[in-house]
């Protein structure tokens, strides 16, 4: 097969509704980015510009290019126009002749256009009809309950759901050629794909089976393979079976290495002539969703190479509001940050897109298991024959594209549709449509084209139809939003013993540095019009303030409020994740909402759109660490009539949680401090650490000490050491910190920089007093710190390593340094 790219820079576009002049375009791309590049619209992310750009979704748009087909391509039997992604309602013409119409963004298309080509210059024109016009004229009987689309009925078109708006993202209903487009010429037959399967034998060897999938059935074909690892040939020969005698297994992050074998398969016709090839990377492993009966009900755990894995991770949304042309660099920043935080699973959420090859390449390399939703979220979808057929083609293409991935752990039918529409699904017609899509079409496609990766109909889901939280303690996966949406106390995380929690979250504001990318300082008030455009949850500001004021004193500035919002977010996720990890092996997964942002916004993410880590991500690196010391504080503090405080807190349970593959021995340490620096209680305990174990190691009864020293005057320090190295550490308050008279610390903090190289330095902080969640920044200097938002204990130096994108001087680092801790916010 011969391939001929249609050059990205040779395209033009125009507003076809107004028949405006043709302007330069870039393909892959979309109309919004092309308009911005042509300076026809302002920055869509700036201020409230989103509101002024809604007209774009009601217009038609045209893209065109000219090309000359090389003679060697025209000599083949077929010349196909191949479009990997058209968004969405497209009419395709070649030399003035209509060749196709499309209406599914997630389907790749291929058309034989040889008979319509001519010698010399050819013209390709793709007209994108308004998605909104399509919605207003198609499937008018489908009127779903809306959750995120302010206009409505976006479900009737197969298009990225969150383009229509979400509670963390803008509404930019765009159009364009969003993935590669090219010519492919071939004769006789063509290799479409190669199905890879693995048989892991009892003797430890692995047999790889390759099954070519061709455009047409053909007898007598032959296969040649070449399997290499790190450039070294492991196997080479003919046939469809490859035996690997001493395989190096692929493991999730934190459980072992991620060796990827390069597999090159050549397919030949019966007469010996070459048909084509397939090239991919294969990780040798087994992955299964294990759901066996146990005393509590039914397990929900991922088992990799025979080992049950506690899934530690987050939910992934599209990396940008304009997904066209996203590349490896766009994905690498946040996925590498996920791996650095000890995550081993990413859930590709169903309101976005099936990501590009670069995304899955990185997940394979980093050991990030992929929970892959099909692209359906929240609202009910149609079930007519044409819609189901379009979804079937979409699913077949995506399953065949991704099934060989080492990281692929699960196919999931949708996000929250069943749980949000239980009342509507009592209507027989709506239930039939739902079941046709998620209980027949999609599982049939997975079984036919994958048959290895498990399928789960929805998230959350229980196979007995019971959607209550109590049922989530017995089986299935759960989304827990009582904390946040229902404004329940943060301690409510500890009320429930879920088997697997695949969504839970808390919002915070983006940093002032990220806010500066979309508004002027004078427009930056979090309650103002500009900031309101970048807070997409209707009650978001009120809920943030509610939770912040439950825990912290009133801040003295907006920057301090932002800092406190991030501390609160991190605290909430720490309480939730550590609770789920302490429940191991009853609970075997915690995926918080959400890892990333698609634009600069107040959201639930742990990584801001600019790449800055929120406080949450720094804490995630600690609470997802393989060796964890965790405190459970039973009881709570409340108020009675008259606003008098009452507390039922009198003890602290100390746990070790361990999921590193190799057993170890550690030392558990605890110290109860008075805020004036006195140590009131200390202790140590030698503890064994074994894979998959959560152990209550010690209960501290503090009744007598709290009678002598009020809970407002003390805090607990806990730590775990292995081989003399402190691997986990934190402080524990026995009352909300707004009631604790922390000592003022700013004038009592010493700072020392050491420049190791042009792009590497260390900074050491030493404090005379305790400082909670000490956070520092280097204003105007792009950097990555290996720790932040940490505890500074009296007289103990804390050294942080800094990596820079550009060489830095000691003088500049000193000028740029800024820092605060909790006590500095009031």
């Amino acid at each position: 097969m011969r391939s001929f790219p249609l050059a990205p820079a040779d395209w033009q576009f125009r507003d076809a509704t107004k028949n405006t002049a043709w302007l330069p375009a870039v393909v892959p791309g979309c109309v919004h980015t092309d308009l911005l590049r042509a300076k026809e619209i302002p920055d869509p992310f700036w201020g409230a510009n989103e509101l002024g750009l809604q007209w774009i979704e009601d217009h038609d748009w045209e893209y065109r290019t000219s090309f000359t087909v090389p003679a060697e391509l025209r000599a083949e039997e077929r010349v196909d126009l191949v479009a990997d992604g058209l968004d969405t309602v497209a009419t395709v013409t070649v030399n003035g002749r209509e060749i196709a119409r499309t209406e599914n963004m997630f389907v790749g298309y291929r058309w034989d256009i040889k008979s319509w080509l001519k010698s010399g210059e050819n013209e390709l024109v793709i007209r994108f009809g308004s998605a909104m016009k399509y919605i207003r004229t198609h499937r008018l009987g489908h009127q779903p309950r809306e959750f995120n689309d302010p206009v409505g009925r976006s479900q009737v078109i197969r298009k990225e759901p969150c383009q229509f708006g979400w509670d963390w993202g803008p509404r930019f209903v765009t159009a364009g050629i969003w993935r590669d487009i090219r010519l492919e010429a071939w004769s006789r037959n063509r290799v479409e794909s190669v199905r890879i399967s693995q048989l892991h034998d009892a003797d430890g060897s692995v047999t790889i089976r390759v099954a070519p999938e061709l455009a047409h059935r053909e007898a007598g074909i032959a296969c040649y393979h070449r399997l290499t690892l790190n450039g070294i040939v492991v196997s080479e020969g003919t046939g469809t079976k490859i035996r690997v005698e001493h395989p190096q297994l692929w493991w999730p992050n934190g459980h072992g290495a991620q060796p990827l074998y390069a597999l090159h398969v050549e397919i030949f016709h019966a007469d010996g002539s070459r048909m084509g090839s397939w090239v991919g990377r294969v990780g040798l492993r087994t992955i299964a969703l294990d759901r066996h009966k146990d005393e509590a009900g039914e397990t929900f755990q991922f088992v990799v190479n025979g080992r049950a894995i506690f899934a530690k991770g987050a939910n992934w949304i599209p990396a940008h509001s304009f997904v066209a042309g996203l590349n490896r660099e766009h994905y690498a920043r946040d996925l590498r940050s996920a791996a650095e935080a000890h995550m081993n699973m990413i859930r590709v959420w169903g309101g976005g897109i099936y990501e590009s090859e670069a995304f899955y390449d990185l997940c394979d390399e980093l050991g990030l298991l992929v929970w892959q939703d099909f692209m359906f979220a929240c609202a009910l979808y149609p079930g007519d024959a044409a819609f189901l057929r379009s979804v079937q083609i979409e699913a077949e293409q995506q399953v065949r594209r991704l099934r060989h991935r080492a990281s692929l752990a699960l196919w999931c039918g949708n996000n929250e549709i069943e749980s949000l529409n239980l009342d509507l699904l009592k209507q027989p017609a709506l239930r039939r449509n739902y079941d046709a899509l998620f209980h027949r079409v999609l599982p049939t496609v997975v079984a036919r084209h994958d048959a290895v990766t498990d399928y789960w109909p929805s998230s959350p889901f229980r196979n007995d139809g019971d959607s209550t939280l109590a049922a989530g303690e017995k089986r299935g996966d759960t989304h827990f939003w009582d904390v946040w949406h229902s404004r329940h106390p943060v301690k409510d995380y500890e009320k429930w013993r879920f088997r697997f929690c695949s969504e839970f979250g808390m919002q915070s504001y983006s940093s002032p540095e990220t806010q500066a990318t979309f508004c002027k300082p004078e427009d930056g008030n979090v309650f103002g019009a500009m900031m309101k455009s970048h807070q997409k949850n209707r009650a978001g500001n009120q809920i943030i303030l509610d939770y912040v004021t439950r825990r912290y004193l009133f801040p003295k500035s907006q920057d301090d409020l932002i800092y406190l919002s991030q501390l609160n977010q991190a605290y909430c996720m720490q309480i939730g994740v550590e609770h789920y990890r302490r429940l191991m092996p009853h609970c075997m997964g915690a995926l918080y909402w959400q890892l990333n942002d698609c634009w600069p916004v107040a959201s639930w993410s742990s990584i801001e759109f600019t790449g800055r880590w929120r406080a949450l991500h720094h804490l995630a690196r600690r609470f997802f660490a393989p060796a964890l010391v965790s405190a459970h504080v039973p009881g709570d503090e409340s108020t009675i009539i008259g606003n008098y405080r009452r507390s039922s807190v009198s003890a602290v349970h100390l746990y070790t949680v361990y999921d590193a593959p190799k057993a170890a021995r550690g030392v558990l340490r605890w110290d109860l401090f008075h805020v004036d620096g006195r140590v009131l209680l200390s202790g140590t305990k030698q503890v064994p650490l074994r894979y998959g174990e959560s152990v209550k190691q010690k209960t501290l009864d503090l009744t007598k000490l709290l009678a002598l020293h009020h809970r407002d005057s003390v805090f607990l320090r806990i730590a775990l050491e292995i081989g003399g190295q402190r691997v986990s550490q934190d402080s524990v308050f026995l009352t909300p910190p707004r009631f604790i008279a922390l000592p003022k610390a700013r004038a009592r903090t010493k700072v020392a920089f050491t420049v190791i190289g042009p792009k590497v330095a260390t900074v050491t902080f030493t404090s005379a007093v305790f400082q909670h969640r000490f956070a520092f920044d280097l204003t105007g200097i792009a950097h990555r710190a290996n720790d932040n938002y940490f505890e500074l204990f009296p007289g103990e130096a804390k050294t942080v390593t800094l990596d820079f994108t550009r060489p830095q001087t000691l003088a500049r680092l000193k000028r740029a340094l800024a820092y605060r801790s909790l006590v500095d916010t009031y």
Side-chain angles (χ1 to χ4, degrees):
M1 184 174 67
R2 303 175 186 272
S3 183
F4 179 75
L6 298 175
D10 289 347
W11 287 83
Q12 295 178 311
F13 83 110
R14 69 171 180 175
D15 184 337
T17 298
K18 292 186 174 181
N19 289 322
T20 58
W22 291 95
L23 296 169
V26 172
V27 171
C30 72
V31 63
H32 283 79
T33 54
D34 285 330
L35 287 168
L36 178 62
R37 192 178 296 106
K39 300 183 179 180
E40 294 292 314
I41 61 171
D43 180 357
F45 291 177
W46 182 261
N49 284 349
E50 173 201 0
L51 302 176
L53 300 178
Q54 296 306 301
W55 60 271
I56 295 173
E57 68 184 37
D58 286 312
H59 286 219
D60 296 347
W61 301 90
E62 280 185 335
Y63 281 74
R64 72 177 183 185
T65 190
S66 297
F67 58 93
T68 300
V69 183
E72 59 269 24
L73 266 71
R74 294 176 62 196
E76 300 285 357
E77 293 175 7
R78 285 183 55 130
V79 179
D80 291 348
L81 175 63
V82 181
D84 291 337
L86 299 177
D87 182 13
T88 294
V89 186
T91 302
V92 183
T93 61
V94 175
N95 295 328
R97 293 191 58 177
E98 180 179 319
I99 64 167
R101 297 192 177 201
T102 76
E103 51 185 54
N104 190 327
M105 175 182 180
F106 303 121
V107 168
Y109 298 93
R110 176 183 293 271
W111 306 285
D112 183 1
I113 62 171
K114 181 176 180 178
S115 61
W116 297 326
L117 295 174
K118 58 186 180 181
S119 59
E121 190 172 77
N122 295 268
E123 184 182 54
L124 169 63
V125 178
I126 304 179
R127 183 184 180 101
F128 292 95
S130 162
M132 296 312 298
K133 292 176 183 176
Y134 180 98
I135 289 168
R136 295 184 192 112
T137 56
H138 287 69
R139 301 184 173 96
L140 298 181
H142 187 72
Q143 299 289 334
R145 175 188 295 154
E146 292 294 349
F147 298 94
N148 296 285
D149 179 355
V151 178
R153 300 187 67 250
S154 56
Q155 300 78 20
V156 304
I157 189 172
R158 290 306 295 143
K159 186 171 170 66
E160 179 187 11
C162 63
Q163 280 190 13
F164 297 90
W166 222 266
D167 59 359
W168 37 256
R171 181 184 176 94
F172 290 126
V173 184
T174 193
I177 305 166
W178 77 288
R179 283 193 165 153
D180 288 343
I181 188 167
R182 61 196 176 278
L183 300 180
E184 289 184 355
W186 52 283
S187 300
R188 297 178 63 181
N189 210 341
R190 176 176 56 84
V191 179
E192 289 190 338
S193 182
V194 171
R195 186 168 181 168
I196 307 296
S197 60
Q198 304 176 25
L199 176 62
H200 289 247
D201 299 313
D203 63 1
S205 65
V206 176
T207 300
I208 302 173
R209 297 177 183 268
V210 298
E213 296 177 338
L214 311 179
H216 311 299
R217 288 187 178 181
E218 182 175 332
I221 64 169
C223 292
Y224 162 84
H225 71 264
R226 190 169 190 266
L227 185 72
T228 63
L229 181 62
N230 301 323
I232 299 172
V233 176
V234 176
S235 178
E236 189 170 15
T238 59
T240 58
K241 295 182 180 180
I242 307 169
R243 186 171 176 82
V244 183
E245 295 288 348
H246 304 287
Q248 295 187 31
L249 297 184
W250 183 95
W251 289 95
N253 184 36
H255 289 265
Q258 294 80 42
L260 294 170
Y261 290 77
L263 177 59
H264 184 97
V265 180
E266 296 270 356
I267 296 94
F268 296 88
H269 297 284
D271 62 9
S273 60
R274 182 180 179 276
M275 182 191 306
S277 64
W278 181 92
V279 177
R281 296 190 299 177
V282 178
L284 302 182
R285 88 295 184 267
T286 61
I287 299 178
L289 175 60
D290 174 33
R291 294 166 47 227
H292 69 263
K293 302 297 181 183
D294 64 5
E295 292 182 357
E298 182 182 86
T299 63
F300 193 101
Q301 62 184 4
F302 292 90
V303 176
V304 181
N305 301 329
R307 180 188 300 167
I309 304 290
F310 187 98
K312 303 182 291 190
N315 287 259
W316 175 273
I317 68 169
H320 202 285
S321 291
F322 306 119
V323 296
L326 288 176
N327 57 33
R328 183 181 174 93
E329 183 179 350
H330 293 115
Y331 294 122
R333 184 194 71 190
D334 293 350
L335 290 177
R336 286 176 180 153
S337 292
E340 289 174 19
H342 305 290
M343 295 185 189
N344 58 31
M345 176 172 277
I346 294 293
R347 175 179 173 232
V348 180
W349 166 77
I353 62 171
Y354 306 97
E355 296 291 351
S356 72
E357 299 301 324
F359 176 91
Y360 301 99
D361 283 344
L362 284 158
C363 289
D364 288 349
E365 295 163 14
L366 295 169
L368 295 172
L369 296 169
V370 174
W371 170 316
Q372 178 67 56
D373 282 6
F374 288 96
M375 293 302 118
F376 302 90
C378 295
L380 291 170
Y381 285 76
D384 59 272
F387 189 86
L388 294 178
R389 176 57 182 158
S390 180
V391 170
Q392 178 183 336
I393 296 170
E394 165 191 327
E396 287 173 345
Q397 290 187 5
Q398 300 302 334
V399 170
R400 293 174 71 189
R401 179 171 74 96
L402 301 177
R403 62 193 172 189
H404 72 283
R405 290 291 183 174
S407 54
L408 183 63
L410 185 70
W411 293 104
C412 181
N414 69 72
N415 173 77
E416 294 184 343
I417 295 178
E418 182 164 354
S419 62
L420 291 177
N421 297 278
L422 284 172
D423 56 337
L424 296 177
L425 288 172
K426 293 176 182 178
Q427 301 177 32
L430 295 180
R431 171 54 74 174
R432 281 195 302 272
N433 289 345
Y434 180 87
D435 287 348
L437 192 51
F438 300 111
H439 291 282
R440 288 200 295 276
V441 171
L442 293 180
T444 298
V445 168
V446 171
R448 181 180 300 152
H449 296 283
D450 188 331
V452 173
T453 310
D454 287 290
Y455 173 81
W456 190 240
S458 183
S459 181
F461 182 72
R462 300 313 171 243
N463 53 9
D464 59 0
D466 188 344
S467 66
T468 63
L469 294 176
E473 297 187 300
K474 300 175 182 178
R475 62 185 63 85
D477 73 307
T478 299
H479 293 189
F480 184 69
W481 286 104
D482 282 4
V483 180
W484 177 260
H485 285 301
S486 299
R487 304 197 194 188
H488 285 201
V490 178
K491 292 284 285 184
D492 272 21
Y493 283 121
E494 297 175 346
K495 285 176 56 176
W496 302 97
R497 294 172 53 84
F498 300 133
R499 306 310 302 258
F500 193 108
C501 199
S502 44
E503 272 195 29
F504 58 104
M506 175 62 60
Q507 263 202 13
S508 71
Y509 295 115
S510 290
S511 65
E513 291 76 14
T514 293
Q515 290 187 3
T517 66
F518 66 82
C519 71
K520 298 176 181 178
E522 58 267 28
D523 295 328
N525 191 295
V526 292
F527 301 134
M530 298 299 102
M531 293 296 293
K532 181 177 174 63
S533 292
H534 292 256
Q535 166 58 277
K536 291 301 182 179
N537 186 272
R538 281 181 287 182
N541 287 338
Q542 289 73 30
I543 298 177
I544 289 174
L545 289 178
D546 184 7
Y547 280 101
V548 165
T549 55
R550 295 182 201 183
R551 186 162 175 79
Y552 305 108
L553 288 173
F554 193 82
K556 62 187 179 183
S557 71
Q558 179 164 293
D559 283 4
D560 290 318
L561 172 61
I562 292 169
Y563 166 84
L564 292 180
S565 78
Q566 294 202 10
L567 289 200
N568 175 70
Q569 179 192 34
Y571 166 74
C572 293
M573 294 301 93
Q574 180 180 16
I575 293 295
V577 169
E578 291 194 12
H579 170 64
Y580 299 136
R581 292 193 70 188
R582 290 196 301 266
L583 290 176
M584 183 175 65
H586 175 85
C587 176
M588 286 299 285
L591 310 179
Y592 66 71
W593 185 270
Q594 66 209 64
L595 181 69
N596 60 319
D597 282 329
C598 66
W599 78 319
V601 65
S603 84
W604 295 265
S605 75
S606 60
I607 304 174
E608 297 176 4
F609 181 67
T610 55
R612 291 178 64 95
W613 288 16
R614 282 181 162 102
L616 167 56
H617 208 78
H618 289 283
L619 264 71
R621 180 144 59 174
R622 293 174 220 151
F623 60 60
F624 278 146
L628 173 71
V629 58
S630 177
H632 174 223
V633 183
D636 204 354
E637 184 165 309
S638 61
T639 56
I640 63 172
I641 294 173
N643 205 27
Y644 297 107
R645 296 165 59 199
R646 293 291 183 268
S647 176
S648 58
V649 173
S650 62
V652 179
H653 303 309
L654 302 184
Y655 286 75
T656 57
V657 182
Y658 192 73
D659 65 358
K662 185 178 179 181
R665 295 195 62 83
V667 178
L668 174 65
R669 297 185 179 275
W670 60 90
D671 300 280
L672 185 68
F673 285 90
H674 194 281
V675 291
D676 64 12
R678 285 179 291 157
V679 179
L680 307 177
L681 175 71
S682 289
T684 64
K685 180 184 179 181
Q686 300 286 327
V687 293
L689 302 169
R690 291 180 289 266
Y691 178 79
E693 289 190 353
S694 168
V695 180
K696 184 195 293 186
Q697 300 285 5
K698 180 73 177 179
T699 294
L700 303 178
D701 184 350
L702 303 177
T703 306
K704 293 181 180 179
L705 281 170
L706 292 179
L708 292 172
H709 310 278
H710 198 275
R711 71 191 70 256
D712 293 0
S713 301
V714 300
F715 65 92
L716 179 68
R717 176 185 185 176
I718 57 176
L720 178 64
E721 297 176 355
I722 298 177
Q725 180 180 358
R726 188 153 295 181
V727 296
S728 181
Q729 171 177 268
D730 208 354
S731 59
V732 181
F733 297 125
L734 306 179
T735 187
R738 64 191 173 108
F739 297 123
I740 300 177
L742 294 172
K744 291 291 182 179
R746 191 165 189 83
R748 304 170 73 179
T749 303
K750 295 181 180 180
V751 182
F753 281 100
T754 301
V755 176
I756 299 173
K759 296 183 181 180
V760 182
T762 62
V763 57
T764 300
F765 302 98
T766 309
S767 174
V769 295
F770 170 65
Q771 297 194 54
H772 179 59
R773 296 296 181 249
F774 184 91
F776 71 95
D777 195 13
L778 297 170
T779 307
I781 299 177
H783 67 281
R784 173 64 61 85
N786 73 341
D787 204 1
N788 212 333
Y789 294 89
F790 43 76
E791 306 297 76
L792 270 184
F793 293 101
E796 295 186 13
K798 171 68 176 182
T799 299
V800 178
T801 301
L802 305 167
D803 292 292
F804 309 105
T805 56
R806 296 180 180 179
Q808 302 295 331
T809 64
L810 179 60
R812 188 176 182 208
L813 294 177
K814 289 181 177 179
R815 289 195 303 269
L817 179 66
Y819 56 86
R820 62 158 63 87
S821 67
L822 176 60
V823 74
D824 299 313
T825 64
Y826 52 85

